[in-house]
Structures are given as structure tokens and as C-alpha cells.
Amino acid sequence: MTATKRPAPAVPGGRPSDEDPIRVSFRRYAGVRTRVLEVGDTVPEPDVPRRSLRRRSATPHVRPTAPRLVLLHGYCDSADTWRPALEQLAAAGIPAVAVDLPGFGDAQPLRPGPMLPQLDAFATAVVREQAVLGSVVLAGNSLGGTMSLRAAQNSRLPISGVVSIAAPGFVDSWLIRAVARYPLPLRLYSSLPVPVPGFLVRKVAEQLVPRLLYADSGAADATQVQRFTALFPDYRATKSRLEEARQLVAELADAYRLDSVEVPLLVVACGKDKLVTAASGRQLHTLVPHSRLLVREDWGHCPQLDDPVEVAELLTYFAASAVRTTQAKRAAATAPEAVSEDTAAG
């Protein structure tokens, strides 16, 4: 992992960059260079030997008391979706990072082939980096929720808890099912001999994005909407994203091994979500019996945009609870071994 620090740009709304609590850097995870938004404690310098980092991470007094949040965004999104929540976390003194997933934002593109294994390797590298400084709690929205769940399936990863927000692949909306079936209108669009003019593509995206992502399209932030629509500048880019979405939906059919999830899990279902229905969250909760379920009827597909204050509070309280639960379970698991060793020594 390498890091290159850059000054953080000014945030929307005209606030000077030197008042922005969010630090911006570029790092490399699993061979993918990407952008990182970070608040709270920083990761160690990249030139510190990895062996020395392991010794430091095993020493209790060098670990911060607050758990570290790793925030993963959804499909066709970027780390900027977490900016409002990151500001709240920074004010509360909670360390957190949000990263551009491969293929999105300022990250390098995905390689040809299956997408989920590449994203798994990337998420694993992020978690291992952050775990050097403290207990890690993963929180993901949409595709990020999928990646968080898949990371939780890996018992070797140092994860203390997971928040899955609107993860697809359980009981999805008609729109996601339509992408999977590739109906006639989409096939016709992809095979048009004359590309649709770019200005028309952007105009349609400007109308659709607020309706798909927000609970109330009238309250959509113009800067966030523009960030999404920039992903569809023309016919070719839109066609490429559509093909990528079809591949991802196909991979979701075999994405989960939920019986392997043992860490605390909070499932967030959103009543006004037009992409992943609240029924999907309820199904996930049923499949992981020890999970907790939060249903918010007033949230849309991206609640971190609808209500960043409450989302930040939710993540903060769950992370603290999850770390306590996980530490207690680990202590209980090792206690019999310690007793047995003492008995044998006596």
C-alpha cells in the first residue's frame, strides 16, 4: 500500500478547504490506485515495516479507543456519497475512511472478468490496513453492502461488525430484475445503429437519478446529482455501464454464504428505496438470525444522502456496540484455553 497526500479541495457550499475536516489522499489496495476520504486518526506511514506494524497493533496501549469505520459506496457511486456523514463523524471524533471502489470515482478501472472477486481483494486490503490502528466496522450501501457482507463471510478478516444498507441480491425491485433479464427495450437501446445524442442521455439521467437515489427527489442535492449524471456523459458510456450492471446482477445470484457471517450485523432496510426493496432487508435479516434489523420508511436507496446526521449517529452507536460484543466473544473463546494451560502447568 502506498499513499500520496494531496490537499483536500473545497467542499460544496463555499467553505474554505482549510476548514474541511476530510483529508484526501491516493493509495493503492490490491494493485488498484484509488482515492481515500478520511477523518480521525491516520494510518501509519507506508515505509514502516509491516512486521513492526503487526507488533504495534498487538499492543493494547497503541490502539485508539474508538472503532474505525470503513465506508463502501454503491454501484455507479463514489466515496463522495459519504462526505456529509464523514463531516458528522469528524465532529464526533470517530475515525472513518471512505474509498472509491475499483471502476468508480477516481479509482482505476476493473479488469476484465468477474467483478466481485476483484472487489473482495480490494476491500480485504482496506480492512487490513485500517485494522492496524483499531477495531474495524464495515458499513456499505447497495453494492458496498454486498461487499461488506462478503467480507464478513471471511473469518480471517479482522472485522468487528458490519452495517449492510440496501444490499441487493435478496428481494430486488422490478428495475434490477429487468436489468438481469435484459428485456427488449434495453437490447434495442444497446443495438441502436445511431447513438443517442449525449445531451439527451444527460437530460434523462438528471431526471432519473434523484428519483432512484433519494426518498424525496425534490430534496436532492444538486452537487450529488451532478456527480452521478457525470457517469453517463454519452451513449457509449451509458451502454458500457448497462453491460457492467448486467454482469454484476448475474454475479449477485451466487454472492452470499451467509451462514459464515458470525460478527454482529445491522441490516438497514429503506421504505422508499426504489432499487432494493425493504423486503430485501427483511429477508437478509431472516437469513442471518443473530442480525439486527432497522427499517426506516422515510429513507431512500442512499440514506447517507437523505439523512447524514442520523446515519452517522447510527454507525457510531452500532460500531461501539459491535466492538464490545466481538471483544467479549473473543475473550470467552480464549478463556478455556488459558484455564487449560494453567491447569496443565500446575
Side-chain angles (χ1 to χ4, degrees), residues 141-340:
N141 171 231
S142 193
L143 173 60
T146 296
M147 302 318 303
S148 297
L149 288 170
R150 285 172 63 87
Q153 294 169 182
N154 183 354
S155 61
R156 293 171 296 179
L157 273 185
I159 298 173
S160 294
V162 165
V163 181
S164 174
I165 305 173
F170 300 98
V171 183
D172 295 325
S173 70
W174 65 270
L175 184 57
I176 290 182
R177 292 195 300 270
V179 170
R181 288 195 299 265
Y182 203 37
L184 182 60
L186 295 182
R187 293 200 301 271
L188 289 175
Y189 177 84
S190 295
S191 61
L192 286 174
V194 179
V196 178
F199 78 89
L200 184 57
V201 172
R202 291 189 296 273
K203 182 61 71 175
V204 171
E206 289 171 0
Q207 296 298 315
L208 285 178
V209 165
R211 289 172 170 80
L212 292 178
L213 302 185
Y214 284 83
D216 177 8
S217 60
D221 180 87
T223 302
Q224 295 284 359
V225 173
Q226 183 179 16
R227 180 172 60 79
F228 278 99
T229 56
L231 293 168
F232 307 96
D234 51 35
Y235 167 81
R236 178 177 296 179
T238 305
K239 179 179 177 180
S240 175
R241 290 295 182 185
L242 177 60
E243 293 293 338
E244 193 175 55
R246 286 185 57 229
Q247 177 183 339
L248 180 59
V249 170
E251 291 185 34
L252 286 174
D254 191 34
Y256 303 112
R257 299 288 185 273
L258 297 174
D259 55 342
S260 301
V261 177
E262 298 181 354
V263 297
L265 168 64
L266 174 63
V267 179
V268 179
C270 308
K272 293 189 176 180
D273 191 338
K274 302 173 185 66
L275 289 173
V276 179
T277 66
S280 185
R282 293 188 179 95
Q283 177 70 4
L284 171 57
H285 172 55
T286 301
L287 293 171
V288 185
H290 72 267
S291 66
R292 290 184 248 172
L293 173 66
L294 171 66
V295 180
R296 284 293 300 258
E297 298 294 345
D298 57 333
W299 284 354
H301 187 63
C302 295
Q304 68 274 13
L305 299 179
D306 285 323
D307 198 347
V309 174
E310 287 210 30
V311 167
E313 289 183 357
L314 175 69
L315 296 178
T316 299
Y317 287 119
F318 172 78
S321 171
V323 168
R324 287 195 300 269
T325 299
T326 302
Q327 288 177 343
K329 288 176 64 177
R330 289 171 180 166
T334 57
E337 296 177 8
V339 171
S340 176

